[in-house]
Structure formats: structure tokens, C-alpha cells
Amino acid sequence: MHNCRLQVMALDGLAVLDLAHNQIGIVPKGLFPETAQLKTLDLSHNVIKALPDEVAALKGLEVLAITHNCLQDLPEGLFTLTALQDMNASYNQIDFIPNSIGNMEGLHVLNLAGNQLRAIPSDVGWLGLKQLNISDNPDLNLPAHVLQCGFK
């Protein structure tokens, strides 16, 4: 069941989708436009290696849990989700966060613990974060202005 393909039928109007702990390996293209009304998406504790860029279709998404997967990077479309308030991408294999994270003005909670991050964009310091967890990233270097001035 390691690489089972997720088949989703019409889920128009669905607000919460919890697919945690299912050994999902592939998030199929076409899932996100069918679930455009989602507020919460939990794909944690699976074996997902990549999220499709069409995650950008989830314009109203507020909570995203993708912790404990096999993600090496995050799709650029994710960083267009300005309604996103809580993103937990901890315990993956992510080594890079793009500067476009600065577009996520609604983000209050960001958990990137337990990844392979070497740096975080300096724009993270200007987000209105209430919680930031970047622990357990052994090679992480914080931007100099964050070390000197702290976060917003």
C-alpha cells in the first residue's frame, strides 16, 4: 500500500480533509481544484515526495499539515496562499524555502523543524508570525539582520 494512488470524487464544499496516516505516496493532479473550498488539509504522516503546484487553487486554505512526509521542496504555488495561517511542514527533507514566503501575509504559525534547511529567507522576519519553529535543522544559518534585530 506504499504508493497507493489517492482517488477523490467530487468534494465540492468540503471544509476539512484529513488524510493523515494513510501511506499516501502521490497526491494526484486534479485533487485541489475539486476541493477548492478547503479550510484545513492534513496530509501528515504519509510518504508523499511532492505536492503538485496546483495547491495554489486552495485560495481559502487556512491550515496545512504536511509534517512527517518525504518532501524535499515545496511547490511555488504554495507561497501564493495568502489566507494560510498555520503551516506545519516539519520532519520532511526540505532544504530550501523561497523568498516568496514573504507573500504569505496571513501566516501566524510556521513549523519547519526537523528538515535539512541551510538558510531561511530574510523575509520570514517580516511576516506577522506568532510561532516559528526551525529547530532540528543542523546546518541552519539565520539571516544576519534577524540575529541582530529579531523578528517583526
Side-chain angles (χ1 to χ4, degrees), residues 27 31-33 36 41 43 51-61 64 66 74-81 84:
V27 177
L31 171 65
F32 297 124
L41 176 59
L43 294 168
L51 290 176
D53 200 46
E54 66 185 21
V55 69
L58 300 175
K59 297 292 185 201
L61 192 67
L64 176 62
I66 49 176
L74 298 172
E76 193 62 36
L78 179 63
F79 301 101
T80 66
L81 299 179
L84 194 63

Side-chain angles (χ1 to χ4, degrees), residues 126 143-152:
W126 296 108
H145 88 275
V146 171
L147 291 174
Q148 294 170 352
C149 304
F151 290 103
K152 175 179 171 183

Side-chain angles (χ1 to χ4, degrees), residues 87 101 107-113 117 120-121 124-125 127 129-135 140 142 146 151:
M87 182 168 75
I101 193 169
L107 199 60
H108 297 294
V109 177
L110 178 59
N111 188 343
L112 296 168
L117 294 174
I120 58 171
V124 166
L127 292 171
L129 293 175
K130 293 184 171 119
Q131 292 180 10
L132 172 64
N133 187 348
I134 50 176
S135 64
L140 181 63
L142 290 175
V146 171
F151 290 103

Side-chain angles (χ1 to χ4, degrees), residues 44-100:
S44 60
H45 294 273
N46 283 294
V47 289
I48 300 168
K49 293 182 181 171
L51 290 176
D53 200 46
E54 66 185 21
V55 69
L58 300 175
K59 297 292 185 201
L61 192 67
E62 297 173 357
V63 177
L64 176 62
I66 49 176
T67 183
H68 290 90
N69 276 289
C70 304
L71 298 168
Q72 294 181 344
D73 57 23
L74 298 172
E76 193 62 36
L78 179 63
F79 301 101
T80 66
L81 299 179
T82 56
L84 194 63
Q85 297 173 21
D86 182 336
M87 182 168 75
N88 187 345
S90 63
Y91 297 96
N92 281 284
Q93 300 162 8
I94 301 166
D95 61 1
F96 176 76
I97 299 294
N99 288 330
S100 55

